[in-house]
């Protein structure tokens, strides 16, 4: 397993996280070390995910925040909605999917 | 006459309740002490002095009217800055949440306030609680009150420093891999990670939901016990908060005498875990003390324990990469312009997250990506399951398990910042309780030769915090850990 700058670019794209070009090589090295580190993980012998022994309450709809409270934290709003760049226009240019 | 050790939360609450001292005077003293030490320690992200004074006056008015404000009447507390408080900024130590103000209050905070507590401020932490040193915060590092050139531990290092410096008797933190217990050990305090499901996580910014727990830190075990009883129990806003009866943990602490009849499981794998000389000496002393108190020590094997950190690194990163997907530059927090939504999101996240958080998100994305989940995430889950089975089997032979909290004492600031692997390794004894959903507590065990604190960890069966508290109280008393940071001692002499 070798992680290079290309692999970091691909992961960054998947994670929706811009990585500066000058940081790619350093990140690749750091991730490579981390992956080697976790490769030492013990084999759980196919044990099943632990049952935490917790029975939570039923998942029922409850109260949620009002529009005003939610939008109060939005960096940009328009007409009572979150504002984002025009997605359809971007799609026509092939820039967004 | 100046008392060496500042008064505890239960004691202060009792005095205010009985009208022996005003909440305003207690809070004023906490604010003055905090103002005096804050420049050297940087425990807080923000102090809320005006609000705290107003709340204290309201408590005093209630006492004057013959009402009972609760067991924490007028007790100043500090809250880690990943627990929401309505109308207040919430940063998680990150640039990503710039400008954010929470529209609600975390259940654990709400419950402490309902018992009379007065929040004095939000404490510093590693960015999004990812770290063990409180150095990755965008607000800069917190320093250890015992030696300001060293880390207070992390990620709840701000909460630990706020208590250890004598500013507040009680603080809240969160523990995903040891983030309450390790800073408690490094600052000479007691710190609790409750059973997964014991305390509501409503209002705690999620890092790794299968591991996260809200937990208190205090100088005294009895204060942790009181805090747990107050914050535990089901919550309509958190489906994972279990409807399991909550015990009177303070009574468990107060009623304990000796350890006769208590069987403690000494984890065999501790021997090979690379303890420093000081940690080994304090660990061996602790075991001798347990025997002298009448406990029966049995050796138990937990073969997967040393490998827990690898499974933890994978699961914590994988869950963080999905939990932190919510920070998109659209709904809250930092926003950077972009021609498309995708560009805006990627630019905002790239500018908002620091290097440690970015590394973990990328590692999590790697581990979850097509073709790799089997090899990393599924294997990590199997290792966690295996570890839980081993721990439960060991707890079938013993009432509690004992380990050191950390293999070393507090390390110098900067020492491990550039070595994430060393940072993970220092969590070897704390991550197993998170991976297995079990409760764990760290109690002060002694000092290294250079006068730095070390902790002892107890791990209990699910929801058996009462047994843990009973034994923790006895060990606290027997260890006679009356030591306080040198600068506090110097002040007490004046």
């Amino acid at each position: 397993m070798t992680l290079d700058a290309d692999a970091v670019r691909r992961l960054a794209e998947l994670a929706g996280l811009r990585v500066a070009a000058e940081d790619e090589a350093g990140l690749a090295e750091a991730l490579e070390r981390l992956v080697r580190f976790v490769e030492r993980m013990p084999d759980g012998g196919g044990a099943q995910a632990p049952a935490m022994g917790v029975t939570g309450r039923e998942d029922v709809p409850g109260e949620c925040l009002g529009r005003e409270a939610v939008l109060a934290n939005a960096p940009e709003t328009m007409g009572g909605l979150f504002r984002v760049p025009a997605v359809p226009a971007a799609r026509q240019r092939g820039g967004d999917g | 006459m100046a008392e060496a050790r500042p008064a505890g939360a239960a004691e202060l609450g009792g005095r205010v309740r009985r009208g022996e001292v005003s909440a305003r005077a207690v809070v004023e003293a906490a604010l003055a002490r905090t103002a005096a030490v804050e420049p050297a320690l940087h425990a807080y992200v923000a102090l809320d002095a005006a609000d705290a004074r107003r709340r204290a006056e309201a408590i005093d008015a209630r006492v004057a009217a013959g009402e009972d404000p609760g067991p924490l009447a007028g007790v100043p507390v500090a809250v880690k800055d990943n627990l929401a408080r309505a109308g207040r900024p919430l940063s998680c130590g990150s640039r990503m949440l710039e400008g954010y103000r929470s529209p609600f209050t975390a259940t654990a905070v709400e419950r402490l306030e309902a018992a009379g507590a007065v929040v004095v401020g939000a404490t510093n932490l590693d960015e999004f609680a990812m770290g063990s040193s409180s150095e990755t915060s965008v607000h800069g590092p917190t320093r250890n009150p015992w030696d300001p050139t060293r880390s207070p531990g992390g990620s709840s290092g701000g909460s630990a420093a706020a208590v250890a410096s004598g500013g507040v008797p009680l603080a809240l933190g969160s523990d995903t891999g040891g983030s309450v217990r390790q800073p408690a050990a490094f600052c000479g305090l007691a710190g609790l990670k409750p059973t997964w499901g014991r305390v509501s996580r409503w209002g705690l910014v999620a890092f790794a939901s299968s591991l996260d727990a809200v937990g208190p830190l205090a100088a005294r075990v009895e204060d942790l016990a009181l805090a747990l009883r107050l914050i535990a129990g089901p919550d309509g806003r958190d489906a994972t908060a279990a409807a399991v009866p909550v015990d009177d943990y303070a009574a468990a602490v107060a009623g304990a005498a000796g350890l006769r009849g208590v069987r403690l499981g000494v984890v065999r794998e501790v021997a090979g875990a690379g303890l420093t000389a000081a940690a080994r000496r304090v660990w061996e002393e602790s075991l001798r003390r347990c025997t002298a108190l009448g406990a029966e020590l049995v050796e138990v094997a937990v073969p997967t324990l040393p490998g827990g950190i690898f499974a933890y690194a994978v699961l914590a990163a994988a869950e963080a990469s999905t939990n932190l997907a919510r920070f998109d530059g659209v709904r809250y927090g930092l926003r950077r312009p972009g021609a498309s939504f995708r560009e805006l999101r990627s630019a905002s996240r790239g500018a908002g997250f620091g290097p440690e958080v970015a590394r973990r998100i990328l590692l999590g994305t790697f581990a979850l990506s097509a073709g790799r989940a089997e090899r990393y995430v599924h294997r990590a889950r199997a290792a966690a399951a295996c570890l839980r089975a081993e721990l439960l089997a060991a707890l079938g032979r013993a009432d509690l398990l004992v380990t050191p909290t950390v293999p070393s004492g507090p390390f110098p600031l900067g020492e491990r910042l550039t070595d994430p692997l060393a940072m993970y390794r220092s969590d070897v004894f704390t991550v197993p309780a998170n991976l297995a959903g079990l409760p764990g507590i760290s109690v002060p065990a002694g000092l290294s030769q250079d006068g730095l604190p070390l902790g002892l960890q107890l791990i209990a069966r699910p929801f058996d915090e009462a047994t843990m508290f009973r034994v923790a109280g006895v060990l606290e008393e027997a260890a006679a850990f009356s030591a306080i940071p040198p600068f506090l001692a110097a002040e007490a002499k004046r």
Side-chain angles (χ1 to χ4, degrees):
Chain A
M1 163 61 53
T2 310
L3 275 160
D4 54 15
D6 277 347
V8 167
R9 266 194 297 278
R10 175 75 188 131
L11 286 174
E13 198 187 315
L14 281 171
L17 180 65
R18 180 172 293 170
V19 169
E22 65 266 29
D23 293 337
E24 284 170 359
L27 260 172
E29 202 182 311
L31 283 173
E32 174 78 20
R33 288 185 67 207
L34 273 167
V35 169
R36 282 211 199 117
F37 177 73
V38 303
E39 288 279 1
R40 294 161 59 195
M41 184 159 50
D43 181 0
Q48 292 301 301
M52 291 301 196
V54 172
T55 314
R57 65 153 173 77
E58 289 291 301
D59 192 11
V60 288
E63 264 181 60
C64 58
L65 292 171
R67 176 180 293 237
E68 202 179 318
V70 169
L71 290 177
N73 272 307
E76 275 190 61
T77 62
M78 194 170 70
L81 301 165
F82 294 115
R83 183 171 185 177
V84 290
V87 175
R91 192 172 280 157
Q92 276 161 18
R93 289 199 307 269
D96 210 47
Chain B
M1 196 178 76
E3 197 183 321
R5 239 176 140 200
E11 186 187 338
L12 277 177
R15 283 189 210 160
V16 171
R17 243 173 160 178
R18 294 189 297 271
E20 294 167 14
V21 61
S22 71
R24 178 64 199 255
V26 170
V27 166
E28 214 52 64
L31 292 171
R33 139 73 51 205
T34 301
V37 297
E38 187 58 11
L41 301 180
H42 188 36
Y44 289 87
V45 166
L47 279 163
D48 307 319
D51 239 36
R53 288 187 177 107
R54 267 195 299 276
R55 273 192 57 84
E57 280 164 9
I59 299 277
D60 285 332
R62 290 182 61 192
V63 173
E67 291 174 38
D68 180 4
L72 291 180
V75 174
V77 300
V79 172
K80 188 176 182 177
D81 200 31
N82 62 351
L83 284 158
R85 288 182 299 139
R88 297 251 156 228
L90 177 67
S91 79
C92 292
S94 181
R95 189 166 286 128
M96 193 70 236
L97 272 168
E98 200 176 87
Y100 179 76
R101 281 176 185 269
S102 176
F104 48 76
T105 298
T107 298
V109 176
E110 204 173 79
R111 288 180 179 176
L112 287 186
E113 287 184 328
V118 176
V119 178
V120 299
T123 56
N124 201 17
L125 68 164
D126 284 298
E127 185 175 3
F128 282 103
M130 297 180 192
S132 310
S133 67
S134 301
E135 290 172 288
T136 68
S137 168
V138 70
H139 309 291
T142 295
R143 294 169 180 276
N144 192 318
W146 291 78
D147 175 354
T149 67
R150 291 176 188 269
S151 165
S155 61
S156 311
S159 288
V163 177
S165 62
V168 291
L170 178 69
L172 285 179
S174 65
D175 189 314
T176 302
S179 282
V180 163
R181 290 161 288 158
Q182 183 252 26
F186 278 10
C187 290
L189 305 173
L192 170 75
K193 182 209 96 77
T195 310
W196 194 87
R198 178 56 101 182
V199 176
S200 166
R201 279 106 46 94
W202 170 260
L204 168 70
V205 176
F207 159 14
S209 306
S210 77
L211 310 168
D212 292 341
V214 174
L217 301 95
R220 290 167 169 76
V221 171
E222 68 162 353
D223 287 343
L224 284 194
L226 173 60
L228 179 63
R229 179 171 67 77
L230 294 170
I231 64 177
D235 176 13
R237 294 168 299 188
D238 177 359
T240 66
V244 176
V246 176
D247 301 305
D248 184 348
Y249 306 109
V253 175
L259 296 181
R260 205 155 297 283
V262 175
R263 192 179 279 196
L264 297 177
V266 180
V267 176
R268 182 187 296 166
E269 287 70 19
V270 167
L275 302 190
T276 60
R280 184 170 302 281
R281 178 178 57 75
V282 169
W283 164 240
E284 286 165 359
E285 273 170 19
S286 299
L287 294 183
R288 277 196 295 275
R289 204 177 292 134
C290 291
T291 309
L293 288 162
E296 183 192 347
L297 301 189
V298 291
E299 192 182 68
V300 294
V302 187
T304 305
L305 183 133
I309 48 171
F310 310 118
Y312 170 81
V314 170
L315 293 178
E319 293 186 32
S321 74
T322 51
N323 268 327
L324 270 57
R326 73 193 63 190
F327 300 102
D328 55 9
V330 172
R331 291 168 297 162
Y332 34 68
L334 189 84
R335 181 179 181 105
R336 288 282 180 267
S340 67
F341 165 68
R342 255 167 119 154
E343 279 181 26
L344 178 151
R345 178 172 180 265
S346 177
S348 302
R349 288 161 61 79
F353 293 131
E356 177 62 23
V357 174
R359 268 198 300 272
R360 296 210 195 196
I361 289 175
L362 293 176
L363 176 66
T365 305
F366 170 84
L368 286 166
S369 58
R372 298 199 183 101
E374 189 73 40
R375 179 165 174 177
Y376 296 99
V377 179
H378 296 183
R379 208 166 115 211
R381 287 216 180 100
C386 184
L387 184 56
R388 178 172 161 97
E390 289 172 9
L391 288 167
L392 290 176
L395 285 163
R397 295 184 52 219
D399 300 305
L400 297 166
L401 306 183
V402 286
T403 74
T405 308
V406 193
S408 75
F411 43 80
L413 284 167
E415 186 188 88
R416 308 209 178 164
L417 201 52
T418 50
D419 187 357
L421 306 188
M423 201 77 96
Y424 281 114
R425 279 190 208 102
S426 69
D427 298 338
V428 62
F429 299 132
T430 47
V431 295
N434 300 84
L435 289 167
L438 303 177
I441 193 170
S442 177
V443 289
L447 295 175
S448 66
Q449 268 153 348
D450 40 1
L452 297 168
L454 289 142
L456 182 73
Q457 177 181 232
L458 302 172
I459 296 173
R461 296 173 193 135
F463 297 101
D464 191 16
E465 282 90 352
T467 300
M468 204 166 73
F469 271 118
R470 188 158 64 84
V471 172
V474 174
L475 290 178
E476 177 189 46
E477 203 183 316
F481 192 86
S482 56
I484 53 173
F487 76 94
L488 271 186
E491 279 177 16
K493 276 192 202 123
R494 280 208 294 270

